[in-house]
Amino acid sequence: MPDRRARPGAGSPKKSVWRRALPQSQAQDREPPVPPPPEPAPDPAETVSVVQAALYMDGVRVSTPATLADTFRELREQPTSMAWIGLARPTESELLSLAAEFDLHPLAVEDAMEAHQRPKLERYGETLFVVLRAARYIDASEEVDFGELHVFVGPDFVITVRHGAAPDLSAVRSRMESTPDLLKLGPEAVLYAILDAVVDGYLPVVAGVQNDMDEIETEVFRGDPEVSRRIYELSREVVEFQRATRPLVGMLHSLMAGFAKYGTDEELQRYLRDVADHVTHTSERVDGFRQALTDILTVNATLVGQQQNAEMRALAEAGFEQNEEIKKISSWAAILFAPTLVGTIYGMNFDHMPELHWLLGYPFAIVLMAVVCTSLYFIFKRRDWL
């Protein structure tokens, strides 16, 4: 395996494409050279992305450079050491400087710049590029927060580019530094520790999602009107969780397939197989969550449909009862209208009223009103209006 530091630091042909992209390597004009202006002070905003950089030798930290330039210089001065550089939302210039120093592939660097990549594993020569989707469960809002982590693994370096709050790589670094026997296995051991931390971070998320599903089931059978929205939101999180975990199964199997070819340490192989088992278990749990949410949504839709049918039936029964009451009211109104009409006619005050001096006029009017009312009563009774 060729030694990376045996190449010149600034004149390698493989690095030229990236050196031309750096601001300090612009093409020179044909005009006479002029004295270079004084270099501006570094912007503090451009340095906060370097979370931590350290050099290790035989599993023990030997140096903690303050800047990327110091890290590059000390790594060249100590050929047997390993650099572990941690970045959080780095600037473009920082990634380009790393690409120039470590001969990182342009496609991998472009992915690290843009983020929002799916989990994958790519090998570019001696450099392994891994994209991981970390997750953490937020109890306060009962939501799953996803982060993105890009890892460059080379013969003597590990570069982590973190987009998001998860995972906590400081804990990974502390764990590895407390086990120098594992750390001295090299960059692959660091990659294992990162994979293990990401996969272990899925366990609280699985527990949180399971708890949310239990609450949703209770709300479904309780008839909570807001449960449909919560099911939809949790389904989106589960789909995103599934996209983060399912590709890891194939990635780790591909990594294990290269054990013999790349001479991976046997102890490290056991650790990676253990991570692969955990990933498979988590992926199966997430797949089960998605199917369970689909079933819960179906049950909720069925219950909502039954509730709506019951409400419609109740409205129909209320409307039927209302119609029956209206029939009764209308029947009695018609019955009372007949005598009212006759009485109204005979209640007029004028001298030449027909039948005014008829002796049988009053009995005739009473009988007429009784006959009309009785006839209307039997007619409405026959029609079940009364």
Side-chain angles (χ1 to χ4, degrees), residues 42 102 236 285 312:
F102 296 110
R236 292 180 58 187
R285 289 287 303 275
M312 292 296 294

Side-chain angles (χ1 to χ4, degrees), residues 77-273:
E77 294 173 353
Q78 304 180 45
T80 58
S81 62
M82 177 191 71
W84 184 351
I85 303 173
L87 305 175
R89 298 183 179 90
T91 62
E92 182 178 353
S93 61
E94 288 171 341
L95 284 176
L96 291 176
S97 64
L98 288 169
E101 179 66 25
F102 296 110
D103 294 329
L104 304 181
H105 196 278
L107 294 178
V109 176
E110 182 181 358
D111 289 344
M113 287 181 182
E114 296 180 356
H116 303 292
Q117 304 293 321
R118 64 175 181 83
K120 63 180 179 178
L121 183 147
E122 299 286 348
R123 186 175 292 276
Y124 300 99
E126 297 180 348
T127 302
L128 195 65
F129 177 61
V130 181
V131 178
L132 303 173
R133 295 295 304 278
R136 63 186 182 118
Y137 186 81
I138 304 176
D139 291 323
S141 58
E142 295 186 340
E143 295 178 350
V144 181
D145 178 52
F146 294 94
E148 190 168 335
L149 179 65
H150 298 200
V151 186
F152 296 89
V153 182
D156 54 358
F157 67 88
V158 177
I159 302 171
T160 59
V161 180
R162 183 162 51 90
H163 298 273
D168 182 12
L169 294 181
S170 61
V172 178
R173 191 184 291 268
S174 300
R175 171 196 171 190
M176 293 298 290
E177 291 180 350
S178 64
T179 54
D181 291 339
L182 180 61
L183 183 57
K184 70 179 182 181
L185 296 179
E188 287 186 339
V190 177
L191 176 60
Y192 149 73
I194 294 172
L195 288 169
D196 188 53
V198 171
V199 174
D200 286 346
Y202 292 153
L203 298 180
V205 180
V206 170
V209 172
Q210 181 66 63
N211 183 66
D212 289 345
M213 290 183 59
D214 294 340
E215 293 178 356
I216 285 176
E217 288 180 353
T218 303
E219 293 174 359
V220 165
F221 291 102
R222 194 171 55 194
D224 192 332
E226 298 294 330
V227 70
S228 297
R229 179 177 180 179
R230 190 174 181 187
I231 294 174
Y232 175 72
E233 292 175 349
L234 186 59
S235 298
R236 292 180 58 187
E237 293 178 351
V238 169
V239 169
E240 192 71 18
F241 197 15
Q242 195 174 38
R243 291 173 181 171
T245 57
R246 180 176 290 180
L248 281 180
V249 178
M251 289 169 54
L252 285 170
H253 281 86
S254 299
L255 197 60
M256 291 187 295
F259 283 165
K261 180 178 180 180
Y262 296 100
T264 305
D265 184 83
E266 292 185 1
E267 186 68 16
L268 192 57
Q269 292 182 25
R270 298 187 185 98
Y271 286 130
L272 288 171
R273 290 193 187 98

Side-chain angles (χ1 to χ4, degrees), residues 27 40 64 90 96 119 146 174 186 204 227 243 264 293 295 304 331 339 357 372:
T64 306
L96 291 176
F146 294 94
S174 300
V227 70
R243 291 173 181 171
T264 305
L293 281 172
D295 296 339
V304 170
S331 301
H357 301 287
V372 173

